Amino acid sequence: MEKRSVDDFVVVENIKLNNSNFLIRMLAPKPLPIIKPGQFVNVEISNCSEIFLRRPFSVFDVDYTNNQLSIIVKILGRGSGKLSRVKKGDLISLVYPLGKGFTYPDKLDKILFIGGGSGVAPMLFLAKDCGLPMNNIDLILGARTADEHINVSDYTKYGKFHFTTDDGTLGFKGVVTEHPVIKNDLSEYDKIYACGPLPMMKAVASDAVKNDIFCEVSLENSMACGFGVCLCCI
Ligand SMILES: Cc1cc2nc3c(=O)[nH]c(=O)nc-3n(C[C@H](O)[C@H](O)[C@H](O)COP(=O)(O)OP(=O)(O)OC[C@H]3O[C@@H](n4cnc5c(N)ncnc54)[C@H](O)[C@@H]3O)c2cc1C
């Protein structure tokens, strides 16, 4: 079984990406283990006695040279709201790495990555990390409105991006699973990877089955412990 650690990380920077998303980069106190896209960390919301349980956040990026790990936090409730206000030098306790992570595609695969809401972070990490040429990767990223999409200009070298918004303010109007790339023809793809709300992943998995395409979705759930012992995630 993979070794997990509990450590205090030092906040290196907290970048406001838009009104609801923050990128928090943290320095690890010891060399980081290999962390795969799709794995997550369980974050303690410090100095907040009413928030007892740690909050899970997908790993967005790992910089082994500088021993830093990043997450993207979307403000949803009190825990993520408090986390979005951390400052450089603050300490954050993480349990890491958790979850299984996605399997890596083969080197000639044509891939479709689908990310909805906070599921965008692991899809961008996988697109960057999988080592495929950009022509082999399409990404469909969905959010409620244009303001909730993060700027992906640093990632356009990893694949071709398609956006959806519920209100039509960016890209295709509708949910990701209605995007023409999915509705028209999936047969060009060897593999599909998805992370986002459960109904989205169910629809993606069902389309993949219909088209006989390998598909992986992130079924990690909210849980108290982060590794299955408390049985909340069952
Ligand atoms: C494996 C995993 C990875 C995640 N990765 C990310 C990530 O990379 N970035 C990110 O911003 N968020 C991510 N999340 C979601 C994040 O954990 C929650 O947004 C956070 O725990 C909410 O805490 P809170 O105290 O702010 O809100 P709470 O006060 O706990 O909840 C506020 C409201 O949001 C609802 N809610 C809480 N958690 C979720 C959830 N997971 N899905 C849907 N509704 C929820 C609650 O029912 C409540 O109505 C991930 C969740 C899981 C399970």
Side-chain angles (χ1 to χ4, degrees), residues 21 40 51 54-59 71-81 118-119 121-122 218 220-223:
N21 288 288
F40 65 100
I51 302 180
R54 289 171 181 264
R55 300 300 198 242
F57 290 89
S58 303
V59 175
I71 56 174
I72 292 181
V73 174
K74 181 177 172 59
I75 301 177
L76 208 77
R78 273 188 303 179
S80 48
S118 53
S218 176
E220 312 286 9
N221 215 334
S222 290
M223 60 194 100

Side-chain angles (χ1 to χ4, degrees), residues 29-49:
K30 62 187 191 214
L32 284 166
I34 298 295
I35 300 177
K36 287 172 70 180
Q39 289 194 286
F40 65 100
V41 296
N42 240 357
V43 182
E44 184 180 74
I45 311 297
S46 56
N47 303 320
C48 200
S49 53

